[in-house]
Amino acid sequence: MSTAVAAPAHAGERPTESQLLEITASVETPALFDDEAGGDADADDPAIWVNRADRERSRVIGTAKNGGLRVYDLAGREVQSISPPEGGRFNNVDLVTGFGRGRQDYAVVTDRGLDKLRIFRIEASGRLTDVTAVDAPLLFSKDDAEVETQATGYGLATYGKYAIVSRRHTTRLGIFRLEERKNTVSYRITDTLDLPKQFPLANGTTWTPCLEPGEEPQIEGMVVDADAGVLYTAQEDVALWKIRLDRDQFAGVPRIVERVAEFGAKGTYDPETEECTLGEPAPEAGRIRADVEGATIYPTGKRDGYLVVSSQGDSKFYVYDRRTNRPIKSFQVIDGKRADGVQHSDGAAATSVALPGYPNGLLVLHDGENKPDDGRVSTNFKYIDWKKLGLKG
C-alpha cells in the first residue's frame, strides 16, 4: 500500500479563468426519475462503446444507481435496461476492450450497494450480458456486515485488463486485475493507494476539508491515460490529481493538476442541514467548484489531445492539454433547441472516433438537473458534438 503526498499545482500558480464558451447538446436521453414511480433511477456515469464493425450501432452505457444500467443508441433512445441484483446500486461504468481469449469487449460497473464489480459482455449487436463470476470477491469490505456501512466501491476507471476503483467515504484507491474464468469474469486486487486527508497550505498551516464526521475526502471521477501510464482522479472536495501507473501498481508521488476553488477554506459542519459553512479559501486555490467530478480524455494522437473535467459546483467544465495539463478552455452546456443544458454534472465520457452525426467525435455528459422535470427529480445524459468546443478533432 502507498500513501500519497501533496505536490504543487501546474506551474505552481492558480490557473487564470478563460472566456467561458457556451454550447448546446445535440441529443438527450429519456428522463430518469429518482422516485418509486421511476424505479429509483438516477443517472450518474456514462461510457461510449464504439462498434468497430458498424459504427451506427455504437452505444452509450449509463449507470442509474438503484435503477441499474441503461443502454442507449446514438439517437439517445433506450435500447436496453438492466436491473441490479437485490441490494445492488450501480455507480460508475467504464469499458474493457479486446479482453480474454475471445478478445471481447466488456462494460465494468461498480456496484456500490454490494461492494463488487459487475462485468457485462458487450455482444456485436451492442446488447449487454452479465458474466460476473458468482464467487467474485468484495472489493474493500472484509464481510457483509462491513458492506452495510456503505464504505464500498465507488468511482471507476479501466485500462488494459485492470480496473481502478475508489472506496466511498475514504481516500483509498485499489487496482483490480480482471480474470477470465471459462464463460465468466472475476477479479483480484493488486495494489492500493491512499490519497491525503489533510493538506499543507502555503502559509504553513494544515487544512482538512469540512465533511460529515467520520467521512474522509472521497474520490469518484477518474480516467486512465493508458498511453501515458497515468491516472487522473478527482478527489471531490480537494483537487484533480495525476498519478503514475506501473502496470498493476501505483508509482511515484501523486501530483495535483488543479485544486478546487474552496481549497484551504476552514469550515463548520451543521448536523441539522448536513452542510458546511466555509470561510475564505487559500490563495493557492483553483477554479473548480467542488465537487470536482467526471473526467474523460479526448485523444488526438498517442499522447496529444484533451482532458475534460466537470466543475459540479457551478456546472462548468474545464479542458486541459493532455500532454502538459495546461488549462486551455472552459465551457458550459446551456439550453438549446434540441435539449436543455447540463447542471451539476457528475460523469463524462468522450471519443474522438468519427460516429454517425458526430464526425469529430462525441462527448457525453451526465445532467443532474434535467428539465422539464414535471415537479419530480429528473436526470439524464446529454450528447455533445465535439466540434462545438472549437478544439482540434
Side-chain angles (χ1 to χ4, degrees), residues 39 64-70 80-90 111 118 120 130:
K65 297 185 181 175
N66 289 344
L69 208 60
R70 298 290 195 275
Q80 187 179 4
S81 176
I82 299 171
S83 298
E86 184 177 357
R89 182 177 172 89
F90 291 173
D111 184 343
R118 306 297 304 185
F120 298 87
D130 192 342

Side-chain angles (χ1 to χ4, degrees), residues 208-256:
T208 301
C210 179
L211 297 165
E212 184 174 340
E215 294 183 5
E216 299 172 357
Q218 68 183 11
I219 301 133
E220 184 176 9
M222 295 191 287
V223 65
V224 172
D225 186 340
D227 290 326
V230 165
L231 167 71
Y232 292 98
T233 183
Q235 192 172 18
E236 296 178 350
D237 294 289
V238 180
L240 174 68
W241 293 82
K242 182 178 185 177
I243 304 170
R244 289 200 302 111
L245 300 171
D246 183 5
R247 301 184 65 181
D248 63 351
Q249 304 286 312
F250 296 105
V253 176
R255 300 183 65 84
I256 289 176

Side-chain angles (χ1 to χ4, degrees), residues 97-233:
T97 58
F99 172 71
R101 291 184 298 274
R103 307 292 293 173
Q104 292 181 301
D105 296 346
Y106 295 85
V108 181
V109 177
T110 47
D111 184 343
R112 92 184 210 201
L114 299 177
D115 198 26
K116 292 190 176 187
L117 292 179
R118 306 297 304 185
I119 298 98
F120 298 87
R121 185 175 62 243
I122 307 175
E123 313 293 351
S125 64
R127 188 166 184 82
L128 273 60
T129 301
D130 192 342
V131 294
T132 312
V134 174
D135 60 349
L138 299 176
L139 291 167
F140 297 106
S141 307
K142 64 179 182 293
D143 52 33
D144 289 341
E146 190 172 357
V147 172
E148 292 298 318
T149 69
Q150 286 298 286
T152 49
Y154 200 53
L156 173 75
T158 58
Y159 65 105
K161 54 189 173 184
Y162 301 101
I164 299 177
V165 183
S166 65
R167 188 176 192 184
R168 187 168 178 254
H169 295 331
T170 78
T171 67
R172 176 153 294 188
L173 297 167
I175 300 179
F176 296 82
R177 175 174 173 156
L178 301 180
E179 298 182 332
E180 194 174 35
R181 296 182 183 176
K182 294 185 178 179
N183 294 321
T184 65
V185 180
S186 189
Y187 47 87
R188 62 178 177 84
I189 195 163
T190 63
D191 197 17
T192 60
L193 178 145
D194 293 326
L195 288 180
K197 306 171 189 177
Q198 296 180 321
F199 303 88
L201 301 179
N203 64 8
T205 63
T206 299
W207 171 67
T208 301
C210 179
L211 297 165
E212 184 174 340
E215 294 183 5
E216 299 172 357
Q218 68 183 11
I219 301 133
E220 184 176 9
M222 295 191 287
V223 65
V224 172
D225 186 340
D227 290 326
V230 165
L231 167 71
Y232 292 98
T233 183

